[in-house]
Amino acid sequence: MASSVGKVELRTLGNTGLKLSCVGFGASPLGNVFGPVSEDDAIASVRQAFRLGINFFDTSPYYGGTLSEKVLGKSLKALGVPRNEYIVSTKCGRYAEGFDFSADRVTRSIDESLARLQLDYVDILQCHDIEFGSLDQIVNETIPALQKLKEAGKIRFIGITGLPLGIFTYVLDRVPPGTVDVILSYCHYSINDSTLDDLIPYLKSKGVGVISASPLAMGLLTESGPPEWHPASSELKSVCKAAAAYSKEKGKNISKLALQYSLSNKDISSVLVGMNSIRQVEENVSAAIELANNGKDEETLSEVEAILEPVKNQTWPSGIQQS
């Protein structure tokens, strides 16, 4: 299995000095967001991920109504390794009960998260899906509150997350340089949508690290297809389904192709993938190591890109996703 072929590559995150595994462990599935996951399976998957070189674990109080944080905290504790051997990011501002980016709420939020995670600090605290709040509040109230948490030692670095790429430039143009350390973008760097690439030179000029999530475009680039609630247009869903079927006919898996496509951009420090089993961990690590050793499957990729060309970079409006 993957364990016999080495460990995943580490990449530097912006100016933070952190070195993140190129594959990051997305812990939302540990909150039963995509179906039930036993505690034993959660602990086993985190342990196997760490053993194979994944050192970056991402969660949020929103995932599973705080369950993801609790289960991840238990799983990390079960590793029994020094705290500096893994990197944890959680979020603030989005909760099961709604959005609240006020200074008071995000300040309480980190204490609640630290208790659930059983940690003294998190490496990165990110404002979660900021397009649903007031961006001016994020600039003038939320981020200054996070800076105080940084000074207090509860967090090491500050991040912002969301779907529309314009939110990142809006905020970064209005905060002092070096205030925001990292952005987390999702669904904008994969075979069907690579618009994040256009933003990378700007982010580098600001010294901001880049994390990309949802390389499978929230299920569009899978053989089983997206969940019912997926907000993509019927055209986009249909073309992605055709691309997945074509890959399968060729004996290839579109999810693996999509992950390797995302991983191949070295300006992205980590690609977050939701995981909830040893099998998923090993598949993702194998894909990363195969890419490092052999490069991308250029032939199949170019054929799949040709199929996806009519819907290339077609996105969808932000919407509050069901869990």
Side-chain angles (χ1 to χ4, degrees):
M1 287 307 293
S3 53
S4 63
V5 285
K7 293 188 172 187
V8 295
E9 168 198 357
L10 299 180
R11 298 179 184 172
T12 303
L13 180 68
N15 292 340
T16 64
L18 296 176
K19 286 189 181 300
L20 271 54
S21 49
C22 64
V23 176
F25 189 107
S28 66
L30 304 190
N32 294 344
V33 171
F34 304 104
V37 180
S38 74
E39 204 169 276
D40 285 350
D41 284 346
I43 290 170
S45 54
V46 167
R47 179 173 284 129
Q48 184 67 342
F50 184 76
R51 203 165 72 77
L52 297 179
I54 292 176
N55 69 350
F56 176 45
F57 299 86
D58 175 85
T59 184
S60 165
Y62 173 65
Y63 300 149
T66 74
L67 182 62
S68 170
E69 284 188 324
K70 289 173 189 159
V71 174
L72 180 62
K74 239 174 217 181
S75 303
L76 291 170
K77 190 151 193 152
L79 288 176
V81 300
R83 171 66 182 88
N84 63 0
E85 289 190 18
Y86 52 84
I87 293 161
V88 178
S89 81
T90 193
K91 306 183 184 80
C92 62
R94 184 173 196 178
Y95 311 97
E97 59 274 17
F99 292 90
D100 187 345
F101 292 101
S102 66
D104 174 64
R105 184 68 188 98
V106 300
T107 301
R108 283 186 290 117
S109 187
I110 187 59
D111 288 332
E112 294 163 6
S113 289
L114 290 174
R116 287 189 287 262
L117 288 162
Q118 303 181 56
L119 299 174
D120 298 324
Y121 68 90
V122 294
D123 298 278
I124 307 165
L125 182 61
Q126 313 188 67
C127 304
H128 195 176
D129 290 345
I130 59 174
E131 68 267 30
F132 292 105
S134 151
L135 294 184
D136 290 328
Q137 182 187 34
I138 299 291
V139 168
N140 299 312
E141 182 179 350
T142 319
I143 288 173
L146 266 50
Q147 284 180 286
K148 288 182 180 167
L149 297 177
K150 195 173 178 178
E151 287 158 18
K154 293 180 180 182
I155 69 176
R156 294 176 67 197
F157 300 105
I158 294 170
I160 49 179
T161 89
L163 181 66
L165 294 174
I167 60 175
F168 299 122
T169 49
Y170 186 94
V171 171
L172 290 167
D173 283 343
R174 288 164 177 77
V175 296
T179 308
V180 171
D181 303 290
V182 57
I183 67 110
L184 191 163
S185 165
Y186 69 97
C187 291
H188 287 308
Y189 199 82
S190 195
I191 314 173
N192 63 305
D193 182 337
S194 56
T195 45
L196 177 61
D197 213 22
D198 300 334
L199 194 62
I200 285 176
Y202 167 88
L203 295 168
K204 285 173 109 171
S205 77
K206 297 276 187 182
V208 173
V210 183
I211 296 166
S212 181
S214 276
L216 311 185
M218 301 194 315
L220 284 175
L221 300 176
T222 59
E223 288 181 356
S224 54
E228 287 283 314
W229 50 259
H230 199 293
S233 69
S234 54
E235 181 196 20
L236 180 52
K237 287 178 181 172
S238 160
V239 176
C240 287
K241 186 176 181 179
Y246 176 80
S247 302
K248 191 173 185 180
E249 275 169 34
K250 282 202 72 175
K252 311 285 181 177
N253 183 297
I254 192 150
S255 300
K256 181 177 171 183
L257 286 170
L259 176 57
Q260 290 182 330
Y261 179 94
S262 298
L263 286 168
S264 62
N265 189 330
K266 297 292 186 90
D267 288 324
I268 294 170
S269 299
S270 190
V271 176
L272 276 171
V273 191
M275 305 187 221
N276 62 13
S277 68
I278 287 177
R279 180 185 58 79
Q280 287 178 353
V281 169
E282 291 180 341
E283 283 175 359
N284 292 327
V285 169
S286 287
I289 290 169
E290 182 186 291
L291 175 70
N293 292 338
N294 307 324
K296 292 193 297 241
D297 179 350
E298 298 286 0
E299 184 189 336
T300 310
L301 259 178
S302 63
E303 291 162 355
V304 168
E305 284 183 290
I307 295 169
L308 292 169
E309 185 58 38
V311 293
K312 180 76 173 172
N313 298 335
Q314 186 186 112
T315 187
W316 48 83
S318 285
I320 299 179
Q321 305 309 338
Q322 300 167 21
S323 45

